[in-house]
Amino acid sequence: MKLTRTVGAAAGVVGVAAAAALLLSNLDVDASASPAPLPAASSTSSQPSPAAAAAEDYSRDLFGPRWADVDRNGCDTRNDILSRDLIDVVYKSGTNDCVVLTGILHDPLTGETVTFTRTSEGYQPVQIDHIIPLAVAWSLGADSWTAEQREHFANDPANLQATTANQSKGDSTPSQWLPADDAAACTYSARYLEVAVDYALEISAADRSALDRALTRCPSTR
């Protein structure tokens, strides 16, 4: 089973973004909430908030092994996403078109076109990014999920994108990071909102404002 292309590459992205904007306008958001605190962040308060305490307890291992085969298609999620997001893909022989060796990424988040080449060590510019970072999800409700739910979230194609922006974005939320291009920010925001709603993750007031600004600049709303 091969995954479909991302919403950013689909012809119907304008409709999706418009629907996301409507959903956001009707969403009940905690206006007092601050952006999700990250595990590395320090606090000047002697009494950290519950969200900050949850962030301190975060560990990547709590979301299961990296790139599991949750859909049981015989291929791990990382290769599934590479196969979905790259073009001109070349697979390793004998892997039933699973292990991606090379391909071309037209990055929807940065606008770059880059070549992916599989390496066993060293820095790889094309990485798989979680639209809603796992550390953020943990502090916004995933700390109460079952291990199976967290593993599913970590491997959900709707929340994953091959991109060169993974390093610069890190564990940022929309109020802290958005693609520079308006159309890309529109698509990214629609996806962020869709995942947040699907998993009942809280959206802070700051992130709601950032999403709203990005969605109002979508092609369909100009």
Side-chain angles (χ1 to χ4, degrees), residues 42-49 52-53 56:
S42 60
S43 174
T44 57
S45 172
S46 59
Q47 299 294 326
S49 68
E56 290 176 359

Side-chain angles (χ1 to χ4, degrees), residues 8 107-112 129-131 161-166 168-170 172-192 210-211 213-215 217-218 222:
D107 194 330
L109 302 187
T110 67
E112 297 177 292
D129 178 65
H130 288 89
I131 301 296
Q161 175 62 51
T163 180
T164 62
N166 187 56
S168 60
K169 172 177 173 279
S172 299
T173 63
S175 62
Q176 301 157 331
W177 185 94
L178 281 173
D181 178 76
D182 282 352
C186 166
T187 301
Y188 176 86
S189 297
R191 292 182 67 185
Y192 189 101
L211 291 168
R213 287 193 300 271
L215 291 169
R217 292 195 294 266
C218 291
R222 288 180 177 178

Side-chain angles (χ1 to χ4, degrees), residues 43-95:
S43 174
T44 57
S45 172
S46 59
Q47 299 294 326
S49 68
E56 290 176 359
D57 294 334
Y58 165 76
S59 168
R60 173 61 181 83
D61 293 340
L62 292 166
F63 285 80
R66 294 177 185 271
W67 311 132
D69 179 16
V70 294
D71 60 2
R72 303 295 186 265
N73 70 343
C75 191
D76 65 83
T77 301
R78 180 175 183 272
N79 279 293
D80 276 340
I81 299 302
L82 289 172
S83 183
R84 181 194 70 181
D85 292 350
L86 305 183
I87 63 172
D88 298 333
V89 174
V90 175
Y91 298 97
K92 183 178 181 179
S93 62
T95 64

Side-chain angles (χ1 to χ4, degrees), residues 36-40 51-52 54-60 63 130 132-143 153 159 170-173 192 201:
L38 304 182
E56 290 176 359
D57 294 334
Y58 165 76
S59 168
R60 173 61 181 83
F63 285 80
H130 288 89
I132 298 183
L134 302 184
V136 172
W138 174 264
S139 57
L140 294 183
D143 59 322
F153 179 83
N159 193 41
D171 288 331
S172 299
T173 63
Y192 189 101
L201 294 173

